[in-house]
Amino acid sequence: MKQTSIKKLAAAGVLCALAVAGSVFLTFPVLGSKCAPVQHMVNILCAVFLGPWYGVGTAFAASLLRNLLGVGSILAFPGSMCGALLCGLAFWKTRNLVITLLAEVLGTGILGGLAAYPLAAAFLSQSAADIAFTAYVVPFLISTAVGSALAGALVFALQKSGALKSIQASFHS
C-alpha cells in the first residue's frame, strides 16, 4: 500500500512538472485568459493513471506553480481543478476513455469557465472583470479541446499497444 502511494505521488509530481513546463512552451492568450492545453492533457492522464483526487491535487499544484512563475493566471485554478475532478470521477466510474475526454471538456470548458468569472471580477483588471459571465467559457473550451485531443491520441495509442493496462497495473499493485 505504501509503495503504491509513493509511486502515485511521484507520478503526480512528474505530471505536475509536465503541466508547468508545457505552460511555458505551449500557452496562448484568448480573451484575457492564458490557455494551457498541456494542463488538460495532464488532467486526463491523472484521471486514467492515478484517480480523481491525485488529479485535483496535481491540477492545484500546477496552477499554483504556474502563477508563482508568472506563466499562468488566477483563472488556472477553476479551469484545471473542475476539469480534473470531473474527468477523474468519470474515468473512475465508467473506465470509458471517450466519456473521460468529454468530462474534461465539460468540467474545464463549461464549469471551470463559469467559475472563472468571480475570480476575474475579484482579482484581475477591470477590463477582465467587465467581460460577460460566460465569456471565459470560450477560451477554456478551446484550451481543453486541444489538450483533450492530445491526451486522447496518447491514451488511445497506449491502449492499442497494450501499454495502458500495464501502466495502470503498476499504480495499483
Side-chain angles (χ1 to χ4, degrees), residues 32-129:
S33 70
K34 293 180 180 180
C35 296
V38 175
Q39 176 65 59
H40 310 295
M41 179 183 78
V42 166
N43 284 352
I44 292 165
L45 295 177
C46 282
V48 172
F49 298 144
L50 306 174
W53 312 122
Y54 280 93
V56 172
T58 301
F60 175 80
S63 295
L64 181 62
L65 288 170
R66 288 173 51 211
N67 275 273
L68 291 173
L69 294 170
V71 294
S73 77
I74 193 82
L75 304 181
F77 289 99
S80 65
M81 293 172 68
C82 289
L85 179 61
L86 201 56
C87 77
L89 290 173
F91 189 78
W92 181 47
K93 288 293 187 182
T94 69
R95 298 287 188 230
N96 184 301
L97 295 174
V98 173
I99 290 172
T100 302
L101 295 171
L102 293 173
E104 167 62 24
V105 172
L106 174 67
T108 295
I110 307 298
L111 300 178
L114 293 174
Y117 179 76
L119 286 175
F123 295 106
L124 298 180
S125 67
Q126 185 61 40
S127 62

Side-chain angles (χ1 to χ4, degrees), residues 11-40:
V14 169
L15 289 170
C16 179
L18 175 63
V20 173
S23 70
V24 171
F25 299 109
L26 183 59
T27 301
F28 51 91
V30 177
L31 297 175
S33 70
K34 293 180 180 180
C35 296
V38 175
Q39 176 65 59
H40 310 295

